[in-house]
């Protein structure tokens, strides 16, 4: 699944072109006319998401109806209309074609039938999702199901100070996803950035206190050591704000089903929304990872951390400090991925053993094969 070009093409057609995909937050396009563009290479398309005059968000394939030129060339902006840079066809933000130069020279032509091609969009807790299937088989609410119910109610929209990173990795998207889907690596990879944060005398290997499955989606609680001792710099940051390493945060922010006992050994909630979104929440902040397939051995990784807008210099210091530590941990995570892909491509190993602390990865490949059907169709189920 990580090295086969044939498998990768099936993923494109049977997964990414069929399911709901997280594309951004509603706060990114707050006003009528604001738009953002997402190049969904796994779906072989580019999509414009725009705030319409009535306040709703619409999605359209980023292609002019005339000769197929890409309509919006930048990543984000604000406009009254979209005008094609090739021949000047103009569309309003609702996707309707409103102006065609030399229209009288087109025969049997109806502007109403030549607007932008829509893309299904829907919101969950301010998260904007899209589905490029012309007729999605499920609504977003049905797709998220019980997982969406469990994770509702967290103040995502109040924690809007965002720190974002992205890079292209020379690995399959699942190699990257797998690295963020287990705690088995914590004691080794994060020994310097997070010493004694997610391991302790009662849990030396970061065993997961809880794991849940929701159809194609999954979640777990990552252990947090209540006896964690901050470094001197971290102790200063703790005075002014929350942190990934801080165990004393106000857990009343959490949804009722997340750490329902309000255990002091709660580190954070780690959730994977099929196929490519990882969401973490903890008191005072949340962060995401997303892994976009570019090719069988190339992935666009996007990491974003969200905090409450800083009101004092101390709060800003706390955020900058903790975001730096978080960034360093993410660099540690990504350090293994390209080497893994190179080794996998040698084909010297035919299979691997995944232990119980890697159960989210086991679930991931089971769900993926249910969609892709590669082994079933080739008699190797």
């Amino acid at each position: 699944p990580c090295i086969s070009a044939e498998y990768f093409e099936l993923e494109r057609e049977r997964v990414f072109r069929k399911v709901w995909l997280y594309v951004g937050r509603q706060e990114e396009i707050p006003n009528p006319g604001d738009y953002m563009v997402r190049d969904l290479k796994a779906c072989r398309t580019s999509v414009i998401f725009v705030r319409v005059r009535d306040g709703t968000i619409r999605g359209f394939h980023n292609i002019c109806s005339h000769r197929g030129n890409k309509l919006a060339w930048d990543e984000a902006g604000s406009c009254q209309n979209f005008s094609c840079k090739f021949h000047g066809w103009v569309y309003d933000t609702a996707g309707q074609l409103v102006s065609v130069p030399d229209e009288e020279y087109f025969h049997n032509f109806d502007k109403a039938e030549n607007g932008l091609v829509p893309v299904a969009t829907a919101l969950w807790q301010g998260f904007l999702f899209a589905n490029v299937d012309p007729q999605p088989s499920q609504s977003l609410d049905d797709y998220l199901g019980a997982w969406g119910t469990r994770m509702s109610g967290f103040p995502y929209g109040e924690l809007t100070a965002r720190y974002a990173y992205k890079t292209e990795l020379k690995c399959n998207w699942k190699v990257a996803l797998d690295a963020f889907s287990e705690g088995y690596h914590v004691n080794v990879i994060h020994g310097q950035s997070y010493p004694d944060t997610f391991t302790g005398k009662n849990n030396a290997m970061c065993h997961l206190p809880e794991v849940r499955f929701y159809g194609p989606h999954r979640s777990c609680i990552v252990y947090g050591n209540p006896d964690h001792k901050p470094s001197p710099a971290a102790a200063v940051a703790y005075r002014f704000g929350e942190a990934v390493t801080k165990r004393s945060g106000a857990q009343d922010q959490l949804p009722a089903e997340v750490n329902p006992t309000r255990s002091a050994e709660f580190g954070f909630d780690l959730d994977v929304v099929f196929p490519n979104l990882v969401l973490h929440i903890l008191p005072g902040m949340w962060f995401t990872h997303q892994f976009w397939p570019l090719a069988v051995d190339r992935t666009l990784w996007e990491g974003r951390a969200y905090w409450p807008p800083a009101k004092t210099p101390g709060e800003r210091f706390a955020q900058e400090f903790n975001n730096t530590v978080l960034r360093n941990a993410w660099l540690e995570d990504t350090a293994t991925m390209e080497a893994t892909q190179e080794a996998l491509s040698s084909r010297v190993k035919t299979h691997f053993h995944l232990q119980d602390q890697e159960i989210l990865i086991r679930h991931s490949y089971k769900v993926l094969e249910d969609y892709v059907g590669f082994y079933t169709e080739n008699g190797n189920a």
Side-chain angles (χ1 to χ4, degrees), residues 128-139:
L128 179 62
F129 284 78
N131 192 322
V132 302
D133 189 335
Q135 296 182 316
S137 61
Q138 290 179 293
S139 68

Side-chain angles (χ1 to χ4, degrees), residues 61-233:
H61 288 279
N62 188 14
I63 179 172
C64 179
S65 297
H66 176 217
R67 294 261 295 278
N69 184 44
K70 182 178 282 190
L71 195 58
W73 292 10
D74 46 6
E75 292 185 355
S78 186
C79 67
Q80 297 288 328
N81 297 292
F82 295 103
S83 179
C84 180
K85 294 179 173 63
F86 198 178
H87 297 93
W89 283 34
V90 178
Y91 306 82
D92 65 19
T93 55
Q96 297 177 329
L97 179 60
V98 296
S99 176
V100 176
D102 264 358
E103 183 180 347
E104 63 271 22
Y105 288 92
F106 288 89
H107 304 286
N108 300 316
F109 181 77
D110 185 353
K111 286 204 295 289
E113 296 179 354
N114 286 274
L116 299 179
V117 179
V119 172
T121 60
L123 288 168
W124 171 83
Q125 299 287 294
F127 289 71
L128 179 62
F129 284 78
N131 192 322
V132 302
D133 189 335
Q135 296 182 316
S137 61
Q138 290 179 293
S139 68
L140 176 61
D141 286 343
D142 287 344
Y143 181 68
L144 297 179
W147 178 88
T149 301
R150 174 182 186 258
M151 298 299 290
S152 295
F154 188 76
Y156 304 101
E158 298 175 15
L159 312 179
T160 56
R162 187 182 76 180
Y163 295 77
Y165 301 96
K166 67 178 179 180
T167 191
E168 185 175 314
L169 298 167
K170 296 177 182 177
C171 69
N172 184 270
W173 67 278
K174 297 182 295 299
V175 170
L177 176 65
D178 294 349
F180 287 88
S181 299
E182 44 89 359
Y184 187 38
H185 69 278
V186 169
N187 200 36
V188 178
I189 288 181
H190 300 312
Q192 291 189 342
S193 59
Y194 288 128
D196 84 346
T197 301
F198 305 112
T199 58
K201 61 183 180 180
N202 296 324
N203 192 343
M205 289 299 296
C206 191
H207 288 174
L208 306 174
E210 175 188 283
V211 174
R212 299 190 187 195
F213 302 112
Y214 303 87
H217 318 301
R218 61 204 77 103
S219 74
C220 70
I221 286 177
V222 175
Y223 171 80
N225 180 11
D227 298 320
H228 162 68
K229 298 296 190 293
S231 68

Side-chain angles (χ1 to χ4, degrees), residues 269-376:
D269 204 65
L270 186 160
D271 298 77
V272 183
V273 178
F274 184 78
N276 67 333
L277 171 64
V278 179
L279 168 67
H280 305 69
I281 65 170
L282 63 157
M285 73 162 297
W286 59 282
F287 54 103
T288 63
H289 299 286
Q290 202 155 18
F291 307 100
W292 293 103
L294 302 177
V296 65
D297 57 358
R298 288 192 301 119
T299 298
L300 176 65
W301 165 72
E302 297 178 320
R304 297 181 176 186
Y306 294 82
W307 308 83
K311 297 178 181 179
T312 67
E315 291 177 356
R316 179 62 185 270
F317 167 77
Q319 290 180 13
E320 292 288 350
F321 174 83
N322 286 296
N323 187 65
T324 300
V325 177
L326 191 65
R327 178 206 62 189
N328 292 346
W330 292 354
L331 286 170
E332 291 165 350
D333 285 316
T334 55
T336 67
M337 297 174 186
E338 294 184 352
T340 297
Q341 186 68 35
E342 185 176 357
L344 289 176
S345 298
S346 71
R347 297 177 180 262
V348 299
K349 294 292 293 185
T350 59
H351 67 280
F352 296 100
H353 298 281
L354 297 175
Q355 60 132 280
D356 285 349
Q357 296 305 311
E358 298 166 294
I359 192 170
L360 267 66
I361 300 176
R362 282 155 43 181
H363 179 261
S364 175
Y365 284 94
K366 168 64 170 64
V367 170
L368 183 67
E369 175 59 19
D370 287 345
Y371 275 84
V372 172
F374 178 86
Y375 292 103
T376 301

